[in-house]
């Protein structure tokens, strides 16, 4: 599976063609394209291959004043709308509250009635490990600033998981100047990271891994083929305390995402199909072992946090009562950014040309948003190899996103790029997500579980004419924990695209700022006032 490149259109316009290329792209760079699986254990791009073919056929026929409706990865109908309306709307993984359990969700999936679309798989917005790379990098920078006198330089980071998202970790540790061990149970994933040049070496032996870290230079990251629960436990037992400890296995999914200590990697592959309930129970017991070890390492002085994979929930379910004394990364380190609408924004060069990506890198630096943006883009240019259609993740904020996207649309219009550009973002963004153990953990006013916000965000984005709008909820271990909204808008060089980009990007991140202002965060309130966000009477006062 490869995404179409070049300027040949297979659809009736670039908006439709762009979404088709985005769909192809998530499978081009996905973890198991043969099963339509993109990332996060079983995050899929379409319900099944028949649905995939019918989505492709619909996108090819769709007129600009029609909207395709997709329910959990299956296309269900095309309706007349208007050129100002979304080309695609979708809802994925939503089950009413009482029924939103991992077990019932799995049953519905097994019956072919729905699918887990991850956050960016089912709505075709995944851009590979880079999608989480800057997030992990910014997080480690914040940890360095807060705990280690300004920098992570030379610090020992212990983490695990080298899957779709987790494979960003070695590079992020290196870019932040740290050293580390990444534990991964699948030798093939370690080999892949080594071949990409992100790991310095791979071993199956903990002592060898520790020895090669020794006084190795900054940026040395060793892949350890082992089970995280075993390794974390062993380190805690021996009193070897890393500076920073986290985990990015797909712990949210106790069946397909986390290998129990009782099984080898190969045994786990079979067991999870033959005995999913037994595997889930064993996996939770193993996660409890790992989290207990993390708590011991924390008590011994390590900085320990969960990186958004629901590990603490799983451990708590298995009896670790103080699992939540481990910090969640978003609340602890990233909330100030969300208060200003700054989050994981991204763009994709639909031409497939690296020269387009280079031009966009040049432009975003030239627009001088903030020093952090410039330094990130410089690092990304040097160290991030293209995966699929050339893409860039870049944490821009409210106002910055729309200014940049409209300027890019001008480049497309003037023929200075080889093709249009799609703009999108992770659902883990200021306006996009309710997850009381990730993005909205510990909200100041106790509103962290209220899912009105991402639903409002999706409605607003539809009203603003985004090209694709999605409302997702969690499958497997995220069931009942997450509600989120996704959006894609295409810069095709037209005047209508300029209007759409400004309207949608300002609305999306603006609602995010208002969500935090409403919860009482003064940074968000001050920013909202300065940007004229809120009700007309507030805006009048600002003027
Ligand atoms: P993935 O399924 O592609 O990879 C998970 C990896 O963990 C696999 O390679 C697997 O072999 C390994 N693994 C499983 N059990 C293990 C164990 N006991 N010891 C060592 N390795 C083990 O998942 P992914 O796409 O990398 O996502 C990882 C997690 O990150 C998911 O829970 C996902 O939802 C979450 N996530 C977080 C963010 C964020 O912003 N922090 C963003 C996106 C996704």
């Amino acid at each position: 599976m490869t995404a179409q490149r070049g300027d040949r259109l297979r659809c009736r316009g670039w908006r439709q063609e762009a979404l088709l290329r985005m769909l192809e792209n998530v499978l081009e760079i996905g973890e198991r394209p043969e099963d339509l699986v993109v990332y996060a254990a079983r995050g899929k791009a379409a319900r099944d291959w028949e649905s995939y073919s019918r989505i492709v056929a619909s996108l090819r026929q769709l007129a600009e004043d029609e909207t395709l409706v997709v329910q959990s990865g299956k296309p269900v109908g095309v309706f007349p709308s208007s050129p100002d309306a979304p080309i695609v709307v979708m809802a994925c993984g939503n089950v009413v509250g009482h029924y939103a359990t991992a077990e019932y969700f799995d049953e519905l999936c097994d019956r072919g009635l729905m699918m887990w679309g991850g956050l960016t798989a089912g709505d075709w917005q995944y851009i590979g490990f880079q999608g989480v790379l800057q997030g992990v990098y910014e997080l480690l920078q914040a940890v360095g600033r807060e705990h280690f006198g300004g920098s992570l330089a030379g610090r020992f980071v212990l983490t695990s998981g080298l899957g779709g998202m987790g494979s960003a970790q070695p590079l992020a540790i290196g870019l932040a100047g740290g050293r580390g061990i990444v534990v991964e149970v699948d030798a093939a994933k370690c080999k892949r990271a080594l071949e990409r040049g992100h790991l310095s070496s791979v071993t199956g032996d903990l002592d060898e891994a520790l020895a090669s870290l020794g006084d190795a230079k900054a940026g040395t990251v060793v892949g350890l083929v082992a089970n995280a629960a075993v390794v974390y436990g062993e380190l805690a037992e021996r009193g070897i305390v890393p500076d920073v400890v986290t985990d990015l296995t797909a712990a949210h999914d106790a069946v397909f995402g986390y290998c129990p200590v009782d099984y080898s990697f190969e045994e786990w592959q079979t067991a999870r199909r033959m005995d999913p309930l037994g595997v889930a129970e064993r996996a939770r017991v193993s996660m409890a072992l790992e989290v207990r070890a993390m708590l011991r390492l924390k008590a011994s002085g390590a900085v320990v946090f969960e990186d958004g994979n629901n590990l603490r929930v799983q451990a708590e379910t298995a009896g670790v009562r103080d699992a939540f004394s481990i910090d969640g990364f978003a609340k602890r380190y990233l909330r100030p950014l969300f208060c200003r609408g700054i989050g994981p924004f991204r763009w994709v060069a639909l031409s497939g040309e690296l020269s387009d990506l280079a031009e966009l890198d040049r432009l975003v630096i030239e627009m001088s948003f903030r020093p952090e943006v410039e330094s990130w883009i410089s690092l990304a240019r040097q160290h991030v190899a293209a995966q699929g259609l050339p893409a860039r993740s870049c944490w821009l904020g409210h106002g910055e996103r729309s200014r940049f996207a409209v300027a890019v649309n001008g480049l497309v219009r003037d023929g200075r790029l080889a093709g249009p550009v799609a703009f999108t973002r992770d659902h883990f963004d200021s306006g996009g997500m309710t997850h009381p153990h990730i993005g909205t953990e510990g909200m100041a006013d106790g509103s962290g579980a209220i899912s009105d916000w991402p639903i409002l965000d999706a409605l607003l984005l539809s009203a603003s004419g985004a090209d694709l709008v999605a409302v997702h909820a969690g499958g497997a271990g995220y069931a009942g924990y997450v509600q989120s909204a996704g959006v894609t808008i295409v810069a095709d060089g037209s005047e209508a695209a300029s209007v759409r980009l400004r309207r949608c990007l300002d609305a999306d991140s603006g609602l995010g700022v208002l969500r935090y202002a409403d919860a009482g965060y003064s940074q968000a309130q001050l920013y909202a006032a300065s940007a004229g966000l809120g009700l007309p009477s507030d805006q009048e006062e600002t003027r």
Side-chain angles (χ1 to χ4, degrees):
M1 172 69 68
T2 47
Q4 168 98 356
R5 270 75 168 164
D7 56 9
R8 191 176 72 80
L9 285 182
R10 295 158 299 169
C11 302
R12 291 166 73 180
W14 259 111
R15 296 172 70 200
Q16 301 90 316
E17 175 74 26
L19 297 181
L20 176 52
R21 289 185 190 198
M22 294 291 279
L23 166 60
E24 293 166 339
N25 192 50
V26 297
L27 289 172
E28 177 178 331
I29 60 181
E31 294 292 295
R32 283 190 284 125
E34 64 281 13
D35 297 326
L36 291 156
V37 168
V38 178
Y39 81 111
R42 354 175 201 177
K44 290 172 78 174
R47 180 112 45 107
D48 46 39
W49 282 106
E50 189 193 339
S51 299
Y52 174 85
S53 303
R54 296 182 78 193
I55 290 170
V56 172
S58 303
L59 286 172
R60 289 176 89 136
Q61 286 161 17
L62 209 61
E64 232 214 334
D65 57 358
E66 291 178 325
T67 297
L68 167 66
V69 179
V70 181
Q71 180 257 326
S72 284
K74 183 176 110 173
V76 290
V78 170
F79 291 85
S81 53
S82 92
D84 255 350
I87 289 286
V88 176
V89 292
M90 45 170 72
C92 187
N94 297 278
V95 180
V96 290
H98 182 76
Y99 292 86
T101 64
E103 292 71 26
Y104 191 59
F105 184 84
D106 282 351
E107 191 184 319
L108 292 172
C109 290
D110 290 346
R111 288 165 58 196
L113 299 174
M114 56 188 342
M115 68 169 199
W116 156 235
L119 300 177
T120 54
D123 50 359
W124 323 328
Q125 294 159 348
Y126 180 77
I127 58 166
F129 72 87
Q130 191 191 170
V132 81
L133 176 66
Q134 193 191 2
V136 179
Y137 169 75
E138 297 293 348
L139 178 59
L140 293 175
Q141 292 287 84
V143 169
R145 276 194 300 275
E146 191 166 328
H147 302 283
F148 301 111
S151 157
L152 198 77
R155 298 290 170 174
F156 170 15
V157 181
L158 171 69
T159 184
S160 45
L162 287 168
M165 293 282 90
S167 56
Q169 298 182 103
L171 184 55
I173 295 168
L175 293 180
R179 301 171 302 133
I181 294 179
V182 187
V183 189
E184 165 59 62
V185 77
D186 179 359
K189 298 281 170 60
C190 283
K191 184 165 174 272
R192 177 177 74 175
L194 189 68
E195 283 165 3
R196 283 178 180 166
H198 296 163
L199 287 177
S200 319
S201 59
V202 173
T203 172
D205 183 74
L206 174 59
D207 288 318
E208 201 176 299
L210 289 167
S212 37
L213 265 199
D215 49 5
K217 63 180 176 18
T220 302
V221 183
V222 181
L224 177 58
V225 185
N227 193 301
V230 173
V231 171
Y232 288 33
E234 179 77 22
L235 289 175
E237 197 54 39
R238 291 201 219 166
I240 299 173
V241 183
D243 296 299
V244 179
V245 180
T246 189
D247 170 293
L248 212 50
T249 59
H252 71 275
D253 187 333
V255 182
F256 280 81
Y258 190 95
C259 179
V261 291
D262 321 65
Y263 298 120
S264 68
F265 174 71
E266 290 73 23
E267 287 164 350
W268 176 45
Q269 303 302 299
T270 317
R272 61 195 196 177
R273 273 189 297 275
M274 308 296 287
D275 178 23
L277 291 180
V279 167
E281 200 181 321
R282 287 188 177 85
R284 288 198 186 95
V285 171
S286 297
M287 288 188 235
L289 285 176
E290 182 179 333
V291 168
R292 285 202 180 94
M294 290 168 90
L295 287 164
R296 285 175 71 185
L297 293 169
K298 180 172 186 264
S300 304
V303 173
V304 182
F305 56 85
E306 187 202 286
D307 199 0
N309 59 358
N310 250 20
L311 179 65
R312 293 168 303 167
V313 170
Q314 304 281 23
E316 193 183 49
T317 310
V320 185
R321 287 217 200 106
D322 51 349
F324 276 86
S325 63
I326 292 174
D327 282 320
F329 75 123
K331 175 188 170 211
R332 184 77 164 84
Y333 301 107
L334 299 178
R335 185 143 306 154
L337 298 178
F338 278 14
C339 286
R340 289 182 285 150
I342 299 172
F345 187 54
R346 54 186 67 162
W347 50 87
V348 179
L350 297 164
S351 64
E353 295 293 335
L354 286 169
S355 55
D356 280 3
L357 187 63
E359 184 64 9
L360 300 181
D361 282 342
R362 186 200 58 72
L363 179 67
V364 76
I365 288 182
E366 186 186 293
M367 290 181 82
S368 292
F369 292 116
R370 279 169 289 116
E372 300 91 300
V373 174
E374 285 170 49
S375 77
W376 163 251
I377 294 291
S378 309
L379 282 172
R381 279 161 82 163
Q382 280 177 55
H383 299 283
V384 181
Q387 248 184 311
L389 292 173
R392 185 67 75 224
S393 160
C394 183
W395 283 49
L396 293 184
H398 175 261
E400 297 171 345
R401 298 180 183 194
S402 58
R403 283 208 301 285
F404 178 64
V406 169
V408 170
N409 196 49
L411 294 184
V412 178
R413 180 197 57 218
D414 298 344
R416 288 174 57 195
L417 296 176
V421 175
F423 288 93
T424 179
R425 58 156 173 74
D426 196 2
H427 293 208
F428 170 68
D429 196 30
S430 61
M433 182 193 267
T434 286
H435 191 316
H437 299 312
I438 304 185
T440 52
E441 179 164 4
M443 290 293 279
D445 63 347
S447 65
I450 295 177
S451 56
D452 292 342
W453 294 97
I455 292 171
L456 287 171
D457 191 34
L459 292 171
L460 183 61
L461 285 163
S462 272
S464 307
D467 291 305
L468 179 147
V469 182
V471 180
H472 280 209
Y478 284 137
Y481 286 101
V482 64
Q483 183 82 66
S484 65
V487 59
T488 302
I489 314 137
V490 183
D492 62 5
S494 64
E495 190 44 39
S498 272
V499 172
R500 207 178 286 129
L501 286 162
R502 183 175 295 111
R503 218 162 43 192
C504 296
L505 295 174
D506 284 346
D508 185 38
S509 51
L511 186 66
V513 172
L514 291 179
R515 195 249 178 284
Y516 287 92
D518 192 69
Y521 291 91
S522 58
Q523 272 172 300
Q525 289 164 347
L526 287 171
Y527 179 80
S530 71
L533 293 166
L535 297 171
S537 53
D538 307 334
Q539 292 163 4
E540 201 52 48
E541 261 174 45
T542 313
R543 274 199 285 277

